[in-house]
Amino acid sequence: MSACAVCDGALPFFRNQPLMVIGGGDTAVEESTYLTKFGTIVYLVHRRDELRASKIMQQRAFDNDKISIVWDTVLEDAVGDQFVTGARIKNVKTDEVKEVEVAGIFYAIGHTPNTQPFKGQLDMDKTGYLIIKPGTQETNVEGVFAAGDVHDHKYRQAVTAAGAGCAAALEAERWLGDQGIA
Ligand SMILES: Cc1cc2nc3c(=O)[nH]c(=O)nc-3n(C[C@H](O)[C@H](O)[C@H](O)COP(=O)(O)OP(=O)(O)OC[C@H]3O[C@@H](n4cnc5c(N)ncnc54)[C@H](O)[C@@H]3O)c2cc1C
């Protein structure tokens, strides 16, 4: 099971196997589309009868022969011992439960950045990602810099977080120097 198709999708045990993505937003469609490069089929399991994804992303899913959308359905359980061999899914309208053979289950149900302690102090967007000044790691509070998954809703990768951390550290050091502190 994985929370990141870009991180794990290319692993050998997902290749030429049926895969499953849980979700219905842009991320779920993006992850499903990406996984079609590796899997034989990608079941996109969504709890409602329409996707929350933008129209253009929805069309991308509908046009892709390797994406099979399973409507009104939730994941009940993952099946398998050391590795996933299937998924137990339930139709929320009929209560029908069935088992589908898949080698991987990918969660794409959204991310919540861990920024609550800074609410009311640092500017953030409506989903909680900190807002930094473009081209810098500066927040709205002088001397406070942000780096990583707390501000990056686009890439959310270890290497981009580390790069932002490096930039934030350099900016912090420069700021301290400007204050005559370091
Ligand atoms: C399941 C999974 C698989 C992933 N696989 C990959 C992958 O293969 N490749 C890849 O590039 N990326 C992967 N990622 C994404 C990657 O892990 C993140 O993008 C990266 O770790 C973000 O780094 P960060 O420093 O911003 O945040 P984090 O790594 O989350 O670090 C935040 C730190 O802050 C600490 N913290 C939180 N609150 C407080 C507090 N109040 N006080 C003090 N400390 C606090 C936490 O304990 C944590 O140590 C994966 C993520 C997940 C969830």
Side-chain angles (χ1 to χ4, degrees):
M1 298 185 71
S2 168
C4 177
V6 183
C7 308
D8 302 324
L11 288 171
F13 45 79
F14 294 138
R15 298 211 175 206
N16 301 313
Q17 299 287 338
L19 303 172
M20 182 173 281
V21 172
I22 314 293
D26 278 351
T27 305
V29 174
E30 205 173 308
E31 304 246 305
S32 301
T33 308
Y34 179 78
L35 289 170
T36 57
K37 292 180 188 181
F38 309 107
T40 49
I41 186 166
V42 177
Y43 299 106
L44 176 53
V45 172
H46 186 43
R47 61 188 166 160
R48 297 194 294 136
D49 58 5
E50 59 177 351
L51 296 173
R52 194 167 26 87
S54 56
K55 284 275 174 280
I56 189 163
M57 292 301 282
Q58 290 193 29
Q59 203 52 51
R60 205 172 286 178
F62 299 147
D63 291 345
N64 193 325
D65 292 342
K66 287 176 83 178
I67 296 178
S68 169
I69 305 179
V70 187
W71 302 107
D72 301 310
T73 298
V74 293
L75 179 71
E76 285 257 296
D77 210 352
V79 181
D81 185 9
Q82 291 199 2
F83 291 92
V84 169
T85 55
R88 195 168 305 124
I89 54 175
K90 178 176 155 183
N91 184 303
V92 290
K93 286 192 172 153
T94 63
D95 279 342
E96 185 200 355
V97 176
K98 66 177 176 184
E99 218 168 279
V100 183
E101 193 185 310
V102 288
I105 301 171
F106 293 78
Y107 272 94
I109 52 175
H111 298 261
T112 306
N114 193 3
T115 55
Q116 282 310 298
F118 309 110
K119 206 171 178 185
Q121 301 176 75
L122 299 180
D123 286 348
M124 50 185 79
D125 66 17
K126 60 181 187 316
T127 47
Y129 285 97
L130 299 181
I131 296 170
I132 54 173
K133 290 183 194 152
T136 77
Q137 303 301 134
E138 292 171 27
T139 67
N140 59 304
V141 176
E142 207 196 329
V144 177
F145 304 87
D149 282 11
V150 284
H151 76 74
D152 177 8
H153 54 82
K154 190 172 180 188
Y155 301 111
R156 290 189 300 252
Q157 295 293 297
V159 70
T160 48
C166 174
L170 289 171
E171 288 183 26
E173 191 189 30
R174 201 162 298 161
W175 184 83
L176 288 168
D178 290 346
Q179 309 301 308
I181 301 170

